[in-house]
Structure formats: C-alpha cells, structure tokens
C-alpha cells in the first residue's frame, strides 16, 4: 500500500496558429492508480482532470468525438454524461 505524490515539470510550445489537441500518456504499472491530475499552464490557467472508472471514461471519451451520440446513449443507459 504505497502512496506517491509526483510533480512533473515540462515545457511545450505550440508553434501552430491555432490550438492543437494532444494526448498525454503516463506509463504506469498495471496496479497503479491516478487519483487526480492538474495541469498548470503558462498563462496561469489550471486544468483539473476528472478521474472516472475505466469503462465510464471510455464512454465519455467516445462522446467527446461523437457528440450527437450523447443524446442516444444518455436516453438508454443510466450514466451522468455532463
């Protein structure tokens, strides 16, 4: 039952003219768990991730790419989509 608090400092510069979408991947052991994630941007903005169970996270990720599916799924399963 170990607990670790990890702070990573990295700098990324977007050279594009518009915002880009990115995916940040953490290599973790199979029994590791992330309980929170905050990203502090240079402009002072803090992004706070919402940690969800794996299966629900997969559904929410799919809905982010196909927003019209939101109405169909939310009417057929009991899950808070917002």
């Amino acid at each position: 039952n170990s607990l670790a608090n990890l702070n990573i400092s990295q700098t990324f510069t977007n050279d594009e003219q518009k915002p880009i979408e990115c995916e940040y991947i953490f290599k973790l052991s199979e029994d590791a768990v992330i309980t929170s994630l905050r990203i502090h941007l240079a402009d002072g903005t803090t992004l706070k991730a919402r940690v969800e169970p794996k299966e629900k996270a997969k559904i929410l990720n799919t809905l982010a790419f196909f927003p019209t599916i939101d109405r169909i799924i939310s009417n057929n399963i009991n899950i808070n989509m917002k």
Side-chain angles (χ1 to χ4, degrees):
N1 291 342
S2 299
L3 179 64
N5 184 11
L6 178 63
N7 291 307
I8 300 172
S9 179
Q10 294 182 319
T11 301
F12 171 79
T13 302
N14 178 10
D15 294 326
E16 299 296 322
Q17 296 296 317
K18 58 184 179 180
I20 61 170
E21 182 175 324
C22 63
E23 182 175 314
Y24 199 91
I25 298 174
F26 293 95
K27 296 287 186 176
L28 301 171
S29 65
E30 191 171 303
D31 60 346
V33 176
I34 295 176
T35 58
S36 68
L37 173 65
R38 290 185 183 170
I39 300 173
H40 302 280
L41 304 178
D43 68 0
T45 303
T46 299
L47 305 176
K48 183 178 178 187
R50 186 177 71 219
V51 180
E52 298 285 359
K54 188 175 188 176
E55 291 306 313
K56 183 176 179 181
K58 286 180 184 178
I59 292 169
L60 294 172
N61 188 51
T62 299
L63 292 176
F65 288 101
F66 304 102
T68 56
I69 296 175
D70 185 358
R71 287 171 289 173
I72 297 167
I73 292 180
S74 62
N75 289 332
N76 292 304
I77 60 175
N78 185 17
I79 187 171
N80 181 5
M81 296 295 174
K82 304 293 180 199

